[in-house]
Amino acid sequence: MARIFVAVDLPEEFRDEVRGIQSRFSGLKLKLVDPELVHVTMKFIGEVKDPMVSEVAEALGEVECKPFDAFIGGVGVFPNPKAPRVVWLGAEGNFEVLHDEVESCLSKFRFKKDRKKFTAHATLARIKFMPSGQREEFLELLDELSDIEIGNMVVDRISLKKSTLTPQGPIYETLHEVMLK
């Protein structure tokens, strides 16, 4: 079995910016995502049998979405600031079109659809519990970082990735890349 997902990787030159933003949260009770692993998820698929991985990779080759310019910036949270669970970096561009194309090309597999409306973002940290004494500092930081600009990038490919969960955090392996056309 393989735990897989489809993603858009952030450019290498954004890693230091991501690290810098994450360092601003250092005193708070968050589980930070390794900056090398921060990406925009197009579709989380989950556990599939190994032979299906190549079928999924082949189906992704049918994605019809032209490369597009994207802007990465602005920090926010899901589901809301009063009960934050995920701290994210915003992603603006043609991500919704790309997401819909990925969903369409993978529809024959009948993978579970996302329950929530797709919102392009890159997860920076997860929050299981935030002590009430940290909430005010956290909300101030969110406000300060709400319009931070990381930069522009060209989205010209998607990656099929395998995620192996370990006690030290996930390990991602790119199994297949599809160039947008």
Side-chain angles (χ1 to χ4, degrees), residues 38-51:
V38 174
H39 62 274
V40 179
T41 301
M42 291 290 102
K43 169 92 178 144
F44 178 76
I45 296 168
E47 297 276 343
V48 299
K49 290 187 168 89
D50 290 331

Side-chain angles (χ1 to χ4, degrees), residues 4-180:
I4 59 174
F5 63 95
V6 180
V8 170
D9 287 317
L10 297 184
E12 192 62 40
E13 59 267 21
F14 287 7
R15 302 292 176 215
D16 285 341
E17 294 279 348
V18 167
R19 212 172 262 107
I21 291 170
Q22 289 177 324
S23 73
R24 303 276 305 272
F25 292 98
S26 64
L28 301 172
K29 196 169 166 66
L30 307 177
K31 178 141 177 58
L32 299 175
V33 175
D34 180 336
E36 298 297 318
L37 303 180
V38 174
H39 62 274
V40 179
T41 301
M42 291 290 102
K43 169 92 178 144
F44 178 76
I45 296 168
E47 297 276 343
V48 299
K49 290 187 168 89
D50 290 331
M52 186 182 267
V53 172
S54 59
E55 294 175 41
V56 170
E58 189 177 323
L60 287 172
E62 299 166 20
V63 166
E64 289 186 27
C65 179
K66 292 188 178 343
F68 59 91
D69 293 327
F71 169 76
I72 306 298
V75 174
V77 294
F78 291 135
N80 63 62
K82 285 185 171 40
R85 291 286 167 248
V86 173
V87 179
W88 51 256
L89 193 54
E92 297 172 18
N94 234 0
F95 288 103
E96 199 162 315
V97 170
L98 180 55
H99 171 264
D100 291 348
E101 263 301 303
V102 168
E103 284 282 10
S104 174
C105 290
L106 298 180
S107 64
K108 64 184 170 194
F109 297 105
R110 292 190 162 81
F111 293 131
K112 197 162 55 172
K113 287 251 195 242
D114 295 330
R115 291 180 315 213
K116 299 175 182 85
K117 179 185 180 311
F118 175 76
T119 303
H121 69 282
T123 299
L124 295 174
R126 291 183 173 75
I127 305 168
K128 283 195 181 189
F129 170 77
M130 179 170 291
S132 57
Q134 291 186 354
R135 188 167 307 279
E136 193 173 319
E137 181 185 351
F138 176 74
L139 292 174
E140 284 174 15
L141 257 176
L142 267 187
D143 191 47
E144 283 175 34
L145 297 170
S146 66
D147 55 5
I148 193 165
E149 296 184 5
I150 300 298
N152 294 299
M153 63 182 276
V154 174
V155 176
D156 62 358
R157 71 192 69 199
I158 54 174
S159 300
L160 178 63
K161 295 189 175 273
K162 176 180 177 183
S163 172
T164 304
L165 302 177
T166 74
Q168 294 75 36
I171 298 169
Y172 296 159
E173 176 187 352
T174 300
L175 303 176
H176 184 70
E177 275 191 345
V178 174
M179 299 304 291
L180 300 182

